[in-house]
Amino acid sequence: MSATVKWLVFLELVKTFCFSGMIFGWGSLHLIFERNAVFREGCDPDLTVKCEKQEDLLATMFTVGSTTISLAAFFCGSVVDKLGPGLSNLVNFTILALGNAILGLADPNSPLLFLGMVLLASGGIMQSINTYPVAFVIPRESLPLFITSANCLFDASAVMGLVLQLIHVHLNVSRSWLFLGCAGFAGLTYIPTFILWRFNLHTFEKQKHEAADPDTATVHHPIRSKSFFEQIASREFAFAVLTFSVLVLKSNVYLGVNGLWLRALGDKEHNYLFTQIFQGVLPCGVLLVPCIDGMLRSRGFVTSFRVVSTLGILYSVITLIPNLEIQCVAAFIYTNFRAILFAVVNTYIAHTFGPRAVGRVMGATLLGVALLNLLQVPFLLITNEYLDGNLFWLNLLMLLMGLPVVIATEMMKHSIRTIPGADIRQEDKFVELVETA
């Protein structure tokens, strides 16, 4: 790899870690907003007294943000495909800078805070999509490693919420300077990335041209040469949407209610120690990069999807146990589940559909995720209104929702393992045969 490609890879990974999944550090962001009396108008001025109105608005704020990640994905993917990876980075920077500025400067009771969360989430998902073009300017054999690294850093970026909380509490940095600092750092990373793409855009365009050749594309990935509409009409796309939408819903529900679940189990008496442990464990998914890359290369997609489903079932079972300490085990398993989920699904999408419309395919996949993610709102309303806030039944439902993915994986295993180039562990064999011929 050239020096410019290495720097491009480095900066994309840094941006992914810092900005792509910041809102998933919601447990810590929630505490920052509570500490600053956000949405506390009409509540007891004593910040230690629980305010249901504030809890509902903050929960809605997270739901809006997590849903926006998927709803905005198709638009962001289309921007990446239309403008190219260079200019799309400037758009990405503008969105993130505005979002952070609003979260830092808006009045604590202003509805503009919802807009700030929407922009923060949109900038995050656009950053995730902006990493995909890089996967096609690096050596082919490095694709799963790069995407796995990017997606593990996406998970690890949840720690940014904890970092902001620690800076806010221990260094006494105000909410405004906290988020304005994030906007400033974005400028230091996105602008150099735009410049670096000017030196590497020709390589990406060459890959897109090769993917349009049916002979070349079919040897490696059967549907790469097809149009965007043909790709999204395929069963491969349907499998990706089903798997991602169901499991991301499980993941987001866990992220959204885990703080409340820990609090119900007595975390407040421990000064929210277990919430901080949960937020601190999430970034550890980055340590799985070599394992996930090795699993994909040696065992392929079918085994990888089975591992994802198994981990999802395990952490869901543990959430049914009303014990505070054992939730640390659930957090550890969930960290592995989330890291492997995003890495495997995104590698599957990039490998299967190729560079021609990767932004739109990823965006269309996440649109399906968004639609199912809207179920979070009625789930939480039913839990609070009819089940007295008892999260056991919601956790049980999330356990059962993993079963369709298990069935879908078994239905897809034959085509993944038999169609030439469909499984990532087969690709090198076919490339070697073609080059020999």
Side-chain angles (χ1 to χ4, degrees):
M1 287 191 291
S2 67
T4 57
V5 172
K6 290 178 180 178
W7 276 107
L8 186 60
V9 169
F10 173 74
L11 283 176
E12 285 293 349
L13 294 179
V14 168
K15 292 188 301 170
T16 298
F17 174 67
C18 293
F19 302 109
S20 63
M22 185 189 294
I23 73 164
F24 293 113
W26 179 249
S28 295
L29 293 176
H30 185 282
L31 293 175
I32 292 174
F33 292 136
E34 276 191 340
R35 184 182 172 92
N36 285 269
V38 169
F39 296 135
R40 202 169 173 86
E41 189 176 37
C43 299
D44 192 310
D46 184 356
L47 296 180
T48 63
V49 177
K50 181 179 179 180
C51 175
E52 290 188 6
K53 175 189 172 184
Q54 182 188 39
E55 291 290 342
D56 289 342
L57 286 171
L58 287 176
T60 303
M61 191 174 176
F62 173 73
T63 300
V64 167
S66 61
T67 302
T68 297
I69 280 184
S70 301
L71 285 175
F74 185 75
F75 169 76
C76 293
S78 299
V79 170
V80 173
D81 285 344
K82 182 71 175 177
L83 299 181
L87 287 175
S88 65
N89 268 276
L90 293 183
V91 175
N92 204 163
F93 163 62
T94 303
I95 293 172
L96 281 171
L98 284 174
N100 278 287
I102 291 172
L103 289 175
L105 299 175
D107 182 83
N109 295 293
S110 172
L112 281 175
L113 290 168
F114 286 95
L115 175 60
M117 186 60 71
V118 166
L119 291 172
L120 190 68
S122 299
I125 192 57
M126 191 169 187
Q127 169 53 39
S128 295
I129 295 174
N130 261 321
T131 61
Y132 283 90
V134 180
F136 300 103
V137 298
I138 60 177
R140 181 185 290 110
E141 63 273 11
S142 299
L143 185 146
L145 177 60
F146 173 75
I147 293 182
T148 297
S149 300
N151 282 279
C152 285
L153 288 171
F154 170 77
D155 279 335
S157 67
V159 78
M160 293 306 296
L162 178 59
V163 170
L164 292 179
Q165 181 195 352
L166 293 175
I167 293 173
H168 180 57
V169 173
H170 296 290
L171 299 182
N172 201 30
V173 176
S174 67
R175 174 171 65 99
S176 57
W177 282 112
L178 200 62
F179 288 101
L180 287 175
C182 291
F185 184 71
L188 295 177
T189 53
Y190 277 91
I191 294 174
T193 302
F194 166 74
I195 295 172
L196 286 169
W197 265 115
R198 309 306 295 173
F199 298 97
N200 295 284
L201 198 57
H202 63 284
T203 305
F204 178 68
E205 293 298 331
K206 180 182 178 182
Q207 288 289 320
K208 289 176 66 176
H209 178 74
E210 290 179 356
D213 182 350
D215 294 330
T216 303
T218 305
V219 171
H220 305 299
H221 337 85
I223 62 174
R224 278 197 177 192
S225 63
K226 295 183 179 179
S227 69
F228 165 67
F229 293 104
E230 289 175 313
Q231 288 181 343
I232 63 173
S234 66
R235 62 177 178 174
E236 287 83 2
F237 178 76
F239 172 66
V241 171
L242 172 67
T243 301
F244 216 17
S245 59
V246 169
L247 296 185
V248 168
L249 174 62
K250 274 173 58 78
S251 174
N252 286 344
V253 167
Y254 181 72
L255 281 172
V257 306
N258 190 53
L260 299 175
W261 179 232
L262 293 175
R263 185 178 299 184
L265 294 176
D267 192 26
K268 186 176 181 180
E269 285 71 29
H270 294 83
N271 200 26
Y272 300 106
L273 171 64
F274 290 88
T275 298
Q276 293 185 50
I277 289 175
F278 173 62
Q279 294 295 333
V281 166
L282 281 178
C284 294
V286 73
L287 301 177
L288 294 174
V289 169
C291 298
I292 299 173
D293 178 55
M295 178 176 66
L296 283 165
R297 302 289 295 178
S298 63
R299 306 303 300 173
F301 285 127
V302 174
T303 298
S304 299
F305 279 115
R306 285 172 174 169
V307 169
V308 171
S309 295
T310 301
L311 292 174
I313 291 171
L314 285 176
Y315 90 76
S316 294
V317 168
I318 295 175
T319 61
L320 300 178
I321 303 173
N323 179 277
L324 187 59
E325 287 74 17
I326 202 171
Q327 298 310 313
C328 293
V329 178
F332 174 76
I333 296 175
Y334 171 79
T335 296
N336 288 268
F337 159 79
R338 185 174 171 82
I340 299 174
L341 166 65
F342 280 86
V344 170
V345 173
N346 286 302
T347 300
Y348 174 79
I349 291 172
H351 171 83
T352 302
F353 300 102
R356 294 181 65 201
V358 67
R360 283 170 291 170
V361 171
M362 192 67 235
T365 303
L366 289 172
L367 183 59
V369 174
L371 295 176
L372 199 62
N373 199 57
L374 292 173
L375 291 175
Q376 283 190 79
V377 175
F379 285 167
L380 291 172
L381 286 175
I382 292 171
T383 299
N384 290 326
E385 294 292 330
Y386 300 103
L387 300 175
D388 245 359
N390 187 346
L391 294 169
F392 173 85
W393 300 108
L394 180 57
N395 289 334
L396 178 61
L397 177 61
M398 291 303 101
L399 169 63
L400 297 176
M401 285 195 70
L403 298 180
V405 177
V406 175
I407 297 171
T409 300
E410 298 308 309
M411 292 175 64
M412 285 293 294
K413 69 178 181 181
H414 179 72
S415 61
I416 290 176
R417 287 176 169 172
T418 57
I419 295 176
D423 199 346
I424 196 165
R425 67 173 178 172
Q426 298 175 351
E427 184 179 54
D428 288 343
K429 299 177 183 178
F430 286 99
V431 172
E432 184 178 343
L433 286 173
V434 172
E435 290 178 346
T436 302

